[in-house]
Structures are given as structure tokens and as C-alpha cells.
Amino acid sequence: MSARIELPDTLPTELRPPLAHDEVLLEADRCLACGGAHAPAPCTVACPAQVDVVGFVEALANDDVATAAETIFEQNLLGGTCARVCPAEVLCQGACVLAHEGQAPIRIAALQRYATDWALTHDVPLRAAARATGKLVAVVGAGPAGLVCAGELAARGHAVTVLEQRDQIGGLVRFAIAPYRIECEPLPAEMRALESLGVRFRLGTQVESLAELSHYDAVFLGVGLGADTPLELPGDTLPGVWESLRFIEALKTGVPPCVGERVVVIGGGNTAVDVARESLRLGAGSVTIAYRRTREEMPAYGFEVEEAEAEGVRFAWRTLPIGLYGTSRVTSVECVSVRLGPPDESGRRRPKPVAGSEFLLRADTVVKAVGQAPRSELRAFTGIALERGRIVVDDEGRTSDARVFAGGDAVNSGDSVVEAVRQAKRAAVAIDRSLR
């Protein structure tokens, strides 16, 4: 019999709450200052943005918050956002030497949040802008990749305009990452800081073809992914059935769904886990994630699965939903047990239904969270090569059109925010080189 899980009395509304000043000094002082000029610290090596972690933590230990923030911004212009949403447990904190010595790793993400939040509220500049080059660059999309590429190019002296179809910046960070990770802040402050660097924003602007941008010297596409991957099930038009992106956007825009007592989430990725944990925070008494494979094959981070279980989320492994039932609202999910066969194209074992194993999961709300599809609008960008809906780029982020570069989810089909930062920095270097 498995050990009984002790559930918490209350759930934190914020996954990484801010540290107080005294906590920052104590935590920063624990750093061993690993690495050196010829051997970067493991935490920096593990950071896709290559932030000098030891450098900014040492500055915090000396109570020099401005220098700490400048050190972060030197490599990551979205350091404040990343401090909230990065999977630090498997990146910088996962590489911390203290963790490998059996101690708690330095809370790097929390320290980064403290430094960047202080800087953004005290108008510490992101960078010093270079002399104007007279070159014009269009950045399509104000998600993480677009914002970082715009800032990097503006810092190099280019005139950058960001064109975003929504009336707010942030992309998936603003509308598709669960609010217990990040609400709206610090995006407005990061936008003001980018404007101070010289970036211009044209919000509510839809770009339908590259021909509209012919007067720009270079273009960066940071358009992200599209809507949820379709999962058509009988009964999925019943009230109470949601796509994951609409569900999270409702939370982020202040109109949270009434989930009822029982929630079933279909999927196995990080978004499915986020939806499940947010459902508990909305008052659901029972939340179950139905996943068609096992824990070992689940795409979600292992530590987040453990955190979800600790909060009370249940997992129905090797479970395949096949239909939804109800009259005025969904009331149950019909499922079938599966066995796992040989690996499919993803490298994971292919699930096969077991005849006669059908069963029902009671549900007042069902959320389908099986991933995002590529943007169909990309087909209108004539001259840009696509592969399975993704933009094809070379090692510098250049597309098949020599004037156009790309990065972020539209290229990698959905990775971390900090990976989008890395790709945007790479493309900005290549764009700058081509313009000079």
C-alpha cells in the first residue's frame, strides 16, 4: 500500500513569493562562488540565457542590488519574468554544487526576482544604448522571444518596432502561463524599460504578410504557437468542457471558471499540471489528470508532478478518455485503460486500448490540455520554409529568406521561456552582424 500523502491546509497563491531583504542577504551569503574565468560556474552553464549567476549573487551578498540587476540584464532582458517562470529546479538550481552535496540549492530564481524587481521599480536601465545605426528592424510578436530580440537590437543602436496583434505584450507569459506562476507583473515594467532603451511598440497590429514589412532592413518572427491541439471527443461541446489555453486566459483576465467539485484534466504536459493545480486553487475538491502513458513517459517536469501530488492532484495513469457525457453540463468522462506497445514517432511507447476496460470518471469540469498547434497564419508568410508547421532556421536563427529571422515557440514547437530568450539573443547577434 502506498504511503498516505499529507495534504496542505492551504495552497500558496504564488509559486515563488518574493524574499525579504534579510532573507536575500542570508541566501546570497550561502553561495560558494564556484567557477572562475576559465571555468564558468555550473549554474551559469545550466542557464540557457548564460546569466552570470555567481556574479549577481555575490553582488546581492554585498547588498549591491543595482549591480546584481545590471549583471542579470546584461544577459537576460526578461530577467524579472524568467525569475518567476523558469524551471530553475532543473536548470541553474538543479546544477548548484550545494545540491550535489546534499544541501538545499541556492534559491537563484528568488534572488533574481528580488534584484530585477528592485531595478524595475527604481528605473535602473536595462542597458546603455549604442549610437543609432539608421537601420530599421521589425519584430513580429511581443512574446518572450520578440521582446528580447527587440531589446538586444535596440541596445545595438537599431530602430526597432514591435508589432503585436493583442493589446498587451507578453504572449504566452501574459495569457497562457498559470497565474500562480505569474500574473501580469513585471511585464508592464519590462515594457517601459524596453521603451526607454528605444523599442517602439505597435499593439493591436496584425501582420498578415511579409510584404507589409518590405521597408524594414530586417525582420524577426517571434509569433509563438497557435491554439490548443485539437482533441475531438464525443460530447466535447458540453458546457464545462474547456481548452487549456482558454481556461488559463480566463484566469489571467479576471473571469475564472466555476469548476465545481470534480475536475478532470486530459494531458500529460506542464500545462496539464498547471491547470490541475489552479483548479484546486479555484476550490475543486477532486482533481484528476488522465494521462495515457505512465509517470516515466509524462512530458511534465518530474518535480512539478511531485508538487501537484503533494497538493492533492490525482493521476490516472494509462488512461485514455474516449467520450464526455452530460445534459446541461458535463458530468463524466468515459475512459479506457491502455497497455503500452512499441515506441511511436515521439520515442515513447504507443498506447493501445484494452478491450472491455471502459470506466467513468465523474467530472463537473473537463480541461483538454494536450499541447498547442503551429500557427496556421505562418503559411501566409511567403518565402519562409516550414517543416510540420514550424519555421525552419539555421544555427543563427535565419530563415530561408535571408532578411528574416525567427525564434521561440514557432521554431522549437514549445520550450521554456528562457530557451526563447537564448534563441532571440542568438538571432539578434546575427541580425546586427548582417546589418553592419
Side-chain angles (χ1 to χ4, degrees):
M1 181 180 294
S2 61
R4 181 176 181 272
I5 297 176
E6 293 293 336
L7 301 181
D9 294 330
T10 59
L11 299 177
T13 56
E14 191 171 14
L15 193 61
R16 291 182 184 146
L19 297 179
H21 178 252
D22 289 347
E23 292 177 301
V24 168
L25 294 178
L26 288 172
E27 188 67 17
D29 195 52
R30 295 176 58 229
C31 180
L32 300 178
C34 307
H38 303 292
C43 47
T44 292
V45 174
C47 173
Q50 294 293 282
V51 170
D52 178 6
V53 176
V54 171
F56 91 75
V57 172
E58 281 190 319
L60 286 177
N62 294 323
D63 207 11
D64 186 353
V65 189
T67 296
E70 290 166 359
T71 302
I72 296 165
F73 291 147
E74 181 62 30
Q75 296 297 334
N76 188 352
L77 295 174
L78 288 188
T81 286
C82 284
R84 291 162 167 82
V85 304
C86 270
E89 292 82 352
V90 297
L91 295 175
C92 54
Q93 291 175 198
C96 180
V97 170
L98 289 176
H100 294 282
E101 294 182 351
Q103 302 180 50
I106 303 297
R107 288 188 283 175
I108 297 169
L111 294 178
Q112 181 165 307
R113 173 176 176 173
Y114 181 88
T116 53
D117 283 3
W118 182 91
L120 291 169
T121 56
H122 288 78
D123 295 323
V124 174
L126 297 176
R127 299 268 180 84
R131 180 181 299 178
T133 65
K135 300 294 185 179
L136 306 180
V137 182
V139 171
V140 183
L147 295 175
V148 169
C149 188
E152 293 284 347
L153 290 170
R156 289 165 167 81
H158 307 302
V160 184
T161 300
V162 177
L163 304 107
E164 165 59 43
Q165 64 178 344
R166 288 183 180 267
D167 60 0
Q168 296 182 53
I169 70 162
L172 72 96
V173 172
R174 178 65 185 95
F175 296 103
I177 292 183
Y180 78 126
R181 296 185 187 281
I182 186 169
E183 281 280 3
C184 184
E185 298 296 338
L187 286 167
E190 288 174 328
M191 178 177 173
R192 291 191 295 272
L194 288 169
E195 287 177 322
S196 297
L197 197 54
V199 177
R200 295 180 60 242
F201 288 90
R202 287 175 52 191
L203 304 180
T205 301
Q206 176 73 45
V207 177
E208 297 182 353
S209 72
L210 291 175
E212 301 172 34
L213 309 175
S214 59
H215 58 292
Y216 289 95
D217 298 298
V219 175
F220 177 81
L221 300 177
V223 296
L225 290 171
D228 284 85
T229 300
L231 177 63
E232 297 181 358
L233 295 171
D236 64 2
T237 59
L238 285 166
V241 180
W242 291 78
E243 305 285 352
S244 64
L245 294 184
R246 288 199 303 116
F247 185 88
I248 293 177
E249 185 169 347
L251 297 177
K252 298 288 287 270
T253 52
V255 283
C258 179
V259 297
E261 177 65 18
R262 295 172 295 271
V263 176
V264 173
V265 182
I266 302 171
N270 294 312
T271 299
V273 174
D274 275 355
V275 167
R277 296 175 73 177
E278 285 289 358
S279 296
L280 290 175
R281 287 160 172 78
L282 290 173
S286 170
V287 179
T288 302
I289 291 180
Y291 180 56
R292 60 183 182 164
R293 293 186 173 93
T294 66
R295 177 192 290 264
E296 289 69 28
E297 283 118 344
M298 197 172 189
Y301 294 117
F303 73 90
E304 295 196 344
V305 173
E306 293 174 1
E307 289 176 358
E309 285 182 315
E311 290 184 352
V313 175
R314 302 169 183 172
F315 289 83
W317 307 110
R318 293 189 301 168
T319 295
L320 179 65
I322 57 176
L324 310 177
Y325 295 95
T327 52
S328 59
R329 184 183 177 93
V330 67
T331 57
S332 61
V333 183
E334 183 180 14
C335 302
V336 62
S337 298
V338 302
R339 59 181 175 83
L340 298 178
D344 60 14
E345 60 278 0
S346 72
R348 293 172 295 169
R349 292 177 292 170
R350 185 185 300 276
K352 297 183 177 180
V354 175
S357 64
E358 293 82 3
F359 63 96
L360 291 177
L361 291 175
R362 298 283 299 279
D364 302 301
T365 296
V366 176
V367 184
K368 298 183 291 183
V370 295
Q372 285 179 263
R375 283 191 176 274
S376 57
E377 303 96 304
L378 289 175
R379 292 193 293 268
F381 289 169
T382 306
I384 302 299
L386 303 177
E387 181 178 325
R388 295 182 180 179
R390 299 179 303 171
I391 302 174
V392 178
V393 298
D394 65 14
D395 291 340
E396 294 186 325
R398 191 189 304 269
T399 71
S400 52
D401 183 328
R403 188 177 64 100
V404 181
F405 296 73
D409 287 356
V411 170
N412 60 38
S413 293
D415 207 314
S416 63
V417 171
V418 72
E419 174 60 22
V421 171
R422 185 190 72 81
Q423 292 187 2
K425 289 173 59 180
R426 175 190 66 180
V429 170
I431 292 170
D432 177 63
R433 187 186 306 118
S434 70
L435 295 180
R436 292 182 187 279

